[in-house]
Amino acid sequence: MNDTLALARLLQLASPALPVGAYTYSQGLEWAVESGVIRDEAGAARWIGDLLAHAIGRFEAPLLARQMQAWRDTDHTEVLRLDADFLASRESAELRAETAQMGFSLRRLLRDLRDEGLAPVALVVDPLAEVAFPTVWSGIAATWGIAPHAAVVAYLWSWAENQVMAALKAVPLGQAAGQRLLATLGTRLPALADAALDLPEAAWSNFTPAFALACARHETQYSRLFRS
């Protein structure tokens, strides 16, 4: 696959139009707003930036990169080991349901795309009772020949964009504030991707207690827009 086509495929994977329902989740951000932890643009920037640096960038991103390598090596045992690790890492029932639902939707898209090149990915993930979203996403990215660094940057961007969109609705914030947040977060993504690609598994970490509590407390939040 040439570089231009790989870029187009990567934009497709990172697009909010990807039919996996990501826009319905806030990953605890809605509770952080309800509790007063996030009150404005600055609070949203701190919350999203801290999660990006200390959880998503240090656990999901390196796991995604490792899964891409396993897909390229046709090491399906490693793919499934990492899938199980990711599912086990979800701190609340909502977070686990989120990645399983998004994984299910992306697995269904494997068939709907009618791309015969993705058949090997489908053969691995179709028999699973549930599959984590990064597992299917990494399989598609690896099969489409997307460079690991670019894939990780796009994955992080997609996560950050979804968080910012949740903040726009929940705080609420204006469109210009959202673009300022994305511009600032975007400058951090290349370095985070570099670190993720080099981070040994023993150093992976998603130890963010405030995030875990926010996700758990969202499950009993009375008034809410989002599913997590």
Side-chain angles (χ1 to χ4, degrees):
M1 181 180 293
N2 64 52
D3 291 345
T4 304
L5 180 55
L7 174 60
R9 292 289 190 247
L10 182 56
L11 292 172
Q12 182 178 358
L13 275 177
S15 170
L18 195 71
V20 295
Y23 66 93
T24 64
Y25 299 102
S26 83
Q27 297 196 348
L29 184 145
E30 187 174 29
W31 183 87
V33 172
E34 176 75 12
S35 66
V37 174
I38 299 176
R39 299 175 183 271
D40 51 22
E41 180 181 342
R46 284 192 301 272
W47 180 270
I48 299 169
D50 284 351
L51 276 177
L52 187 62
H54 300 298
I56 311 304
R58 288 186 59 83
F59 185 76
E60 286 194 41
L63 182 142
L64 181 87
R66 183 70 61 82
Q67 281 192 315
M68 283 189 66
Q69 183 62 53
W71 281 113
R72 287 195 299 271
D73 295 341
T74 62
D75 187 351
H76 299 154
T77 299
E78 179 71 352
V79 168
L80 296 179
R81 180 185 74 83
L82 293 166
D83 177 71
D85 283 355
F86 188 80
L87 288 170
S89 75
R90 301 301 82 194
E91 294 96 333
S92 72
E94 285 185 351
L95 279 180
R96 185 183 177 100
E98 174 184 341
T99 197
Q101 180 272 308
M102 290 174 62
F104 172 84
S105 297
L106 194 54
R107 176 169 60 184
R108 182 173 57 192
L109 186 63
L110 284 173
R111 297 188 297 272
D112 294 342
L113 285 172
R114 300 175 185 174
D115 181 344
E116 292 184 2
L118 296 173
V121 179
L123 284 174
V124 174
V125 300
D126 277 349
L128 303 177
E130 60 180 2
V131 61
F133 175 70
T135 302
V136 189
W137 199 99
S138 63
I140 297 173
T143 302
W144 279 348
I146 295 167
H149 188 271
V152 172
V153 168
Y155 184 89
L156 292 173
W157 170 266
S158 183
W159 177 87
E161 183 179 38
N162 196 65
Q163 286 284 287
V164 168
M165 291 303 296
L168 261 60
K169 297 173 186 176
V171 175
L173 299 175
Q175 295 292 330
Q179 290 303 308
R180 284 193 295 269
L181 287 170
L182 286 172
T184 300
L185 292 166
T187 63
R188 302 171 63 180
L189 300 187
L192 285 169
D194 285 339
L197 290 172
D198 292 334
L199 196 66
E201 187 170 352
W204 295 1
S205 173
N206 65 341
F207 182 67
T208 46
F211 170 66
L213 287 169
C215 292
R217 289 177 176 174
H218 185 269
E219 295 174 6
T220 56
Q221 186 172 326
Y222 176 71
S223 178
R224 55 186 182 171
L225 296 172
F226 298 95
R227 297 170 67 183
S228 73

